[in-house]
């Protein structure tokens, strides 16, 4: 089997564990790895990325504008009431509002996140991603998209038995190349056996689920961010921007 195929299978296995938490030998977490203070957003991640096996990853910025309100008698619903935001149109509307009110309009902070669509030969999966800067390293927290999961298993008995867990991925953006690494179960077990880390976790079937709080997860990731497990070129998924 080709090396790139193995990488793809491993990453796909990671995505599956986020949904059922039992199907692959990777590490996930019950709690998110981010907090509001360390979350960041890089618009340059948006685009279409492709692996060597032609699998595609479409990354799109989504803005949660549910709490965004402007007290002005202008119809801004087309700009502010949708998940997909036209930023150029927003700026235009803001200028119109400021001109009408003869004052600066203060816009509350908006909550950006990524919608990541993974397209393979056999399936299409959708995930929500949130990026954090931990100790100068970028880590992506990934969970299955609610609507996508509902569409996939609507009416199924399994729906009430799923455990949604968080996957975490160290990412490096190098111009038009995106390098993705994560920690696998054998690496994690090696750390535990050699007493190099102490963190709460449980083993479920053939997977490991970290149960520690977000703060402890962050300490763990920062401690090993420069280690081989998060920087192995032979294990990394390398994506090229095509759009």
């Amino acid at each position: 089997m080709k090396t790139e195929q193995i990488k793809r299978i491993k990453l796909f296995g990671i995505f599956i564990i986020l949904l059922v938490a039992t199907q692959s030998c990777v590490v996930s977490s019950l709690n998110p790895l981010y907090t509001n203070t360390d979350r960041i957003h890089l618009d340059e991640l948006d685009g279409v990325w492709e692996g060597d096996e032609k699998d595609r990853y479409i990354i799109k910025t989504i803005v949660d504008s549910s709490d965004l309100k402007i007290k002005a008698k202008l119809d801004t619903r087309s700009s502010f009431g949708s998940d997909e935001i036209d930023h150029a149109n927003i700026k235009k509307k803001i200028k119109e509002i400021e001109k009408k009110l003869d004052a600066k309009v203060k816009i509350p902070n908006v909550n950006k996140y990524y919608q990541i669509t993974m397209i393979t030969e056999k399936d299409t999966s959708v995930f929500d991603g949130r990026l954090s800067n931990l100790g100068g390293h970028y880590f992506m927290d990934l969970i299955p998209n609610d609507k996508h999961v509902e569409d996939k298993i609507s009416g199924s008995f399994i729906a009430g038995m799923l455990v949604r867990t968080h996957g975490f991925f160290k990412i490096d953006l190098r111009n038009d190349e995106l390098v993705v690494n994560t920690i696998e179960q054998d690496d994690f077990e090696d750390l535990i056996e050699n007493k190099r880390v102490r963190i709460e976790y449980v083993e479920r079937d053939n997977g490991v689920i970290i149960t520690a709080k977000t703060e402890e997860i962050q300490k763990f990731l920062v401690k090993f961010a420069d280690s081989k497990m998060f920087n192995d070129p032979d294990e990394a998924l390398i994506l090229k921007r095509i759009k």
Side-chain angles (χ1 to χ4, degrees), residues 129 154 219:
S154 178
K219 289 179 180 178

Side-chain angles (χ1 to χ4, degrees), residues 90-146:
I90 287 178
K91 291 178 182 179
K92 180 181 177 181
K93 290 290 187 182
I94 290 174
K95 288 182 180 180
E96 291 175 357
I97 294 170
E98 289 178 336
K99 184 176 180 180
K100 180 165 184 166
L101 299 179
D102 192 26
K104 278 290 192 181
V105 176
K106 185 176 180 181
I107 305 298
N109 290 330
V110 293
N111 186 21
K112 291 183 178 181
Y113 63 96
Y114 302 99
Q115 183 179 89
I116 303 172
T117 303
M118 176 184 175
I119 304 172
T120 68
E121 294 177 359
K122 297 181 179 180
D123 196 16
T124 296
S125 302
V126 183
F127 302 89
D128 294 336
R130 290 167 175 80
L131 189 66
S132 290
N133 184 339
L134 304 178
H137 302 280
Y138 294 140
F139 281 92
M140 180 76 78
D141 179 292
L142 207 63
I143 59 172
N145 176 270
D146 283 337

Side-chain angles (χ1 to χ4, degrees), residues 181-198:
N181 277 282
T182 191
I183 181 172
E184 298 185 35
Q185 183 173 338
D186 54 351
D187 293 321
F188 183 81
E189 290 178 344
D190 182 67
L191 294 177
I192 296 295
E193 289 175 7
N194 290 283
K195 298 182 179 180
R196 296 182 59 196
V197 64
R198 295 181 64 182

Side-chain angles (χ1 to χ4, degrees), residues 135 137 139 170 221-231:
H137 302 280
F139 281 92
K170 181 174 181 285
L221 295 177
V222 170
K223 180 177 180 179
F224 294 100
D226 291 317
S227 67
K228 184 179 179 180
M229 74 178 80
F230 282 123
N231 300 276

Side-chain angles (χ1 to χ4, degrees), residues 145-203:
N145 176 270
D146 283 337
K147 186 177 184 306
H148 181 72
V149 173
E150 289 173 5
D151 292 343
K152 283 277 190 180
I153 61 174
S154 178
S156 172
F157 176 73
I158 196 175
M161 303 174 65
L162 291 178
V163 178
R164 284 211 322 165
T165 59
H166 297 256
F168 41 85
F169 304 85
K170 181 174 181 285
I171 65 171
D172 293 291
L173 182 61
R174 305 169 185 170
N175 297 320
D176 288 333
E177 184 177 270
L178 189 61
V179 182
V180 183
N181 277 282
T182 191
I183 181 172
E184 298 185 35
Q185 183 173 338
D186 54 351
D187 293 321
F188 183 81
E189 290 178 344
D190 182 67
L191 294 177
I192 296 295
E193 289 175 7
N194 290 283
K195 298 182 179 180
R196 296 182 59 196
V197 64
R198 295 181 64 182
I199 192 168
E200 295 178 355
Y201 71 97
V202 295
E203 294 186 56

